[in-house]
Amino acid sequence: MKRRPEPELMDGEAQALAYAEADFNASNTLFIELLRRLAPGPLAGATALDLGCGPADIVIRFLRAYPGATCDALDGSRPMLELARQALDAQPEIAARVRLLHDSIPSEQLARGHYDLVISNSLLHHLPEPAVLWRTVRETAKPGAPVLIMDLMRPASPGWVEALVESYVADESEILRTDFRNSLYAAFEPAEVSEQLAAAGLDSLEVAVVSDRHLAVMGFLPT
């Protein structure tokens, strides 16, 4: 099935709120489990980078799991970052270890060769040119840094798209159902992501299918 891109940013307040209020517990729990499997170590004193942080649920889960780490969390949507700020304000001990950044990649706010870990969830399919993500990973992370990028995986047919919509967001708002459907059409297939990594010189990272609707790019950058 041919890819059908969608808008890069979720700039509408209603759209951002629908996303933040949706139940992503299963996929966000999976993300942290995958990070643990990657075995990045305790990350004591480490500075992580979350690209496309959205309402910050992954950031909060990450910092709970790794109490010695801090995180720069970047997103291009102001409504999303406002929801992230509200979530963090309710947890001051976590908020003290987060720096929210409003920008899109490539971003001059991100220092080169600075980050001990780069993570991202559900950003790749929003990008009109995916190479910008892989360049950002290479340029901002330290040599040998662990990387975990998780995203939706494009189904093989429109019927499969509708089956996933029915399985996972049937009881959600129409805004969220439409967003999820559009995101599935905009997502990449594992083979396409492998080609992207090869073109970016990131062959040390592996692509894995991690659920019926997600793929993950995992590994360590070259030293």
Side-chain angles (χ1 to χ4, degrees):
M1 187 175 70
K2 186 176 180 180
R3 181 181 185 238
R4 190 171 73 195
E6 66 174 347
E8 183 171 354
L9 298 177
M10 300 178 76
D11 270 336
E13 291 185 7
Q15 187 182 28
L17 184 60
Y19 184 89
E21 291 180 342
D23 182 7
F24 291 113
N25 181 63
S27 58
N28 291 355
T29 297
L30 172 62
F31 187 93
I32 299 302
E33 290 176 355
L34 292 172
L35 183 58
R36 290 191 184 280
R37 287 182 214 170
L38 187 58
L43 298 177
T47 301
L49 173 62
D50 184 358
L51 296 169
C53 68
D57 188 65
I58 290 289
V59 173
I60 291 168
R61 290 169 184 258
F62 164 71
L63 291 175
R64 282 179 184 158
Y66 296 91
T70 60
C71 187
D72 285 357
L74 180 141
D75 203 285
S77 167
R78 286 194 183 278
M80 280 292 190
L81 285 181
E82 177 56 32
L83 292 168
R85 173 53 62 198
Q86 292 174 21
L88 289 165
D89 284 347
Q91 305 183 64
E93 74 286 356
I94 297 290
R97 294 155 55 205
V98 180
R99 186 170 68 123
L100 294 178
L101 304 172
H102 177 242
D103 206 354
S104 298
I105 55 173
S107 172
E108 294 185 0
Q109 297 187 57
L110 303 177
R112 289 175 173 259
H114 176 69
Y115 294 99
D116 301 287
L117 165 71
V118 178
I119 60 176
S120 179
N121 182 46
S122 296
L123 172 64
L124 179 61
H125 73 269
H126 282 287
L127 300 174
E129 178 44 67
V132 69
L133 174 59
W134 309 121
R135 283 199 303 271
T136 299
V137 169
R138 287 197 58 159
E139 292 173 356
T140 60
K142 294 178 179 178
V147 173
L148 172 58
I149 310 291
M150 193 170 90
D151 208 280
L152 291 171
M153 176 176 60
R154 190 168 80 252
S157 69
W160 192 349
V161 169
E162 295 308 317
L164 290 172
V165 170
E166 183 64 24
S167 294
Y168 294 106
V169 295
D171 297 328
E172 300 287 354
S173 68
E174 181 58 33
I175 291 176
L176 191 74
R177 290 197 301 272
T178 298
D179 280 344
F180 184 56
R181 180 182 293 109
N182 291 342
S183 293
L184 289 169
Y185 277 105
F188 293 96
E189 297 175 344
E192 293 171 334
V193 177
S194 294
E195 291 174 1
Q196 295 168 16
L197 294 173
L202 293 174
D203 300 276
S204 61
L205 304 181
E206 297 184 357
V207 182
V209 174
V210 294
S211 84
D212 62 350
R213 63 201 185 282
H214 294 102
L215 58 78
V217 176
M218 304 172 60
F220 295 81
L221 293 184
T223 57

